[in-house]
Amino acid sequence: MSKTTRGALSPAEEVRAAVTGFVTDFKGFQAEIETKLQQTEERMTMLDQKMTLPARTPLGGAADTGAPHQKAFNAYLRNGDDDGLRGLELEGKSLSTAVNSDGGYLVDPQTSATVQSVLNATASIRAIASVVQVEATSYDVLVDHTEVGAGWATEAGPQAETDTPQIDRITIGLHELSALPKASQRLLDDSAFDIEGWLAGRIADKFARAEAGAFVNGDGIDKPMGFLTHPAVDNDVWTWGNLGYVPSEVDAEVTAEAIVDLVYALGAQYRANGSFVMNSKVAGLVRKLTDADGRFLWSDGLAAGEPAMLMGYPVLVAEDMPDAASNSFSVAFGDFRAGYTVAERPDLRILRDPFSAKPHVLFYATKRVGGDVSDFSAIKLMKLGVA
């Protein structure tokens, strides 16, 4: 009996049955894939619809898209709401905390940068001095102002011991500089009022004027030490700890010869970076001076924004310098980058006080800054007197 008659399938029938089963299984798999793709497409469509829906805006206004810290700080300035500031997590590259232990808050980066740019642009010693950022309460400057001993030696002769240099430490303390502008609550409630721009302008103006005066005439008591506060001696007998001066040889007047003497009283290593410092009244007198051939010593900047030049050196017009008077030190010349150091903390703090001046709101802003002479040989003065 053949295989067919015994009930077995022929090879052709077996292949046909296998192909039929494969096609059936493939159609089921294809249907399952299509179902899953359709479900995925439906979920993606729903997600796109959620993303394209307009965000709900506050009543009576548009959505606030500002930075979180800026919005929180603006809310604190306007109505004293500090919940936003307390809940902020500042980035590690920024300041470590949003809350001041003394009850104030750090100014947001945009406002703080505005204040700093105005301070840097102000005509004060800061513009030509060395400015350092510190996190401590003081800043130490190490100065080596002595000579290392040296001598000639022979190949076989004994070596003599030379002098050891002496290093001085100059400590620059940081002092609190404050401003107390105020505004009415009605003005703060006006959303059209640029509270941050106004506050930055008022604080910058106050800080700039206070700093400029202290860097020149400060007594070092709760304020920076001004360079004119240090003792001044004739440059021929100058010693460390004093500023050397050259006399103008004419009482209460600036002379062309004294300008030349002042320039060359400064060491050559400082002269390359030298700058003159004087106020507007003295500058008006100096720009009239001529040399023996009738040429003016003063020349204006070649382009807008460039400083005026006196004997080829830039002139900083600082209004806190003294006017021309008998025996006054009205003109300074030196490398202030080496000679004077301004140390400051990078943060500016704001405390809102709505109670002390009702119906006005006070804003108590503080910044810590210090300054002092760091190299007494880098600055020379002109004394408007005979000797």
Side-chain angles (χ1 to χ4, degrees), residues 97-313:
T97 177
V99 181
N100 179 16
S101 59
D102 296 328
Y105 290 90
L106 297 175
V107 176
D108 72 278
Q110 181 177 354
T111 302
S112 183
T114 303
V115 174
Q116 189 65 31
S117 65
V118 175
L119 288 177
N120 287 331
T122 302
S124 74
I125 299 303
R126 170 187 284 269
I128 57 176
S130 175
V131 181
V132 296
Q133 305 284 337
V134 298
E135 296 292 342
T137 58
S138 64
Y139 179 74
D140 289 347
V141 180
L142 301 179
V143 182
D144 176 15
H145 59 85
T146 57
E147 294 290 341
V148 178
W152 298 100
T154 61
E155 182 177 357
Q159 298 291 327
E161 184 175 340
T162 60
D163 295 335
T164 302
Q166 301 295 321
I167 297 179
D168 281 349
R169 180 190 300 270
I170 298 176
T171 300
I172 302 175
L174 270 64
H175 309 280
E176 188 170 283
L177 179 61
S178 63
L180 193 62
K182 66 179 180 179
S184 67
Q185 185 60 55
R186 178 177 297 181
L187 186 62
L188 297 178
D189 291 339
D190 186 358
S191 60
F193 176 54
D194 182 8
I195 175 65
E196 294 183 68
W198 168 82
L199 191 62
R202 294 295 300 274
I203 294 173
D205 180 66
K206 178 68 174 180
F207 282 5
R209 287 186 282 115
E211 276 192 359
F215 294 155
V216 176
N217 299 305
D219 58 9
I221 301 176
D222 296 330
K223 63 176 67 69
M225 189 75 168
F227 71 92
L228 288 185
T229 308
H230 288 279
V233 299
D234 192 299
N235 197 59
D236 293 337
V237 294
W238 173 84
T239 56
W240 184 263
N242 306 286
L243 293 182
Y245 71 80
V246 297
S248 66
E249 301 297 347
V250 179
D251 189 45
E253 290 187 17
V254 183
T255 62
E257 293 80 6
I259 293 290
V260 176
D261 293 340
L262 181 61
V263 170
Y264 289 99
L266 191 68
Q269 69 272 27
Y270 301 111
R271 205 159 49 236
N273 297 318
S275 299
F276 283 95
V277 180
M278 64 191 75
N279 67 20
S280 295
K281 293 181 180 179
V282 177
L285 299 175
V286 172
R287 69 177 301 149
K288 300 174 184 177
L289 298 176
T290 59
D291 60 14
D293 298 325
R295 295 172 299 188
F296 287 99
L297 302 181
W298 183 287
S299 61
D300 293 322
L302 298 178
E306 290 187 357
M309 308 294 284
L310 179 59
M311 287 189 60
Y313 298 98

Side-chain angles (χ1 to χ4, degrees), residues 15 32 44 58 71 73 122 157 217 241 245 303 310 315 317 332 357 372:
V15 171
E32 183 179 358
M44 292 297 294
K71 291 189 294 184
F73 182 68
T122 302
N217 299 305
Y245 71 80
L310 179 59
V315 179
V317 178
D372 202 351

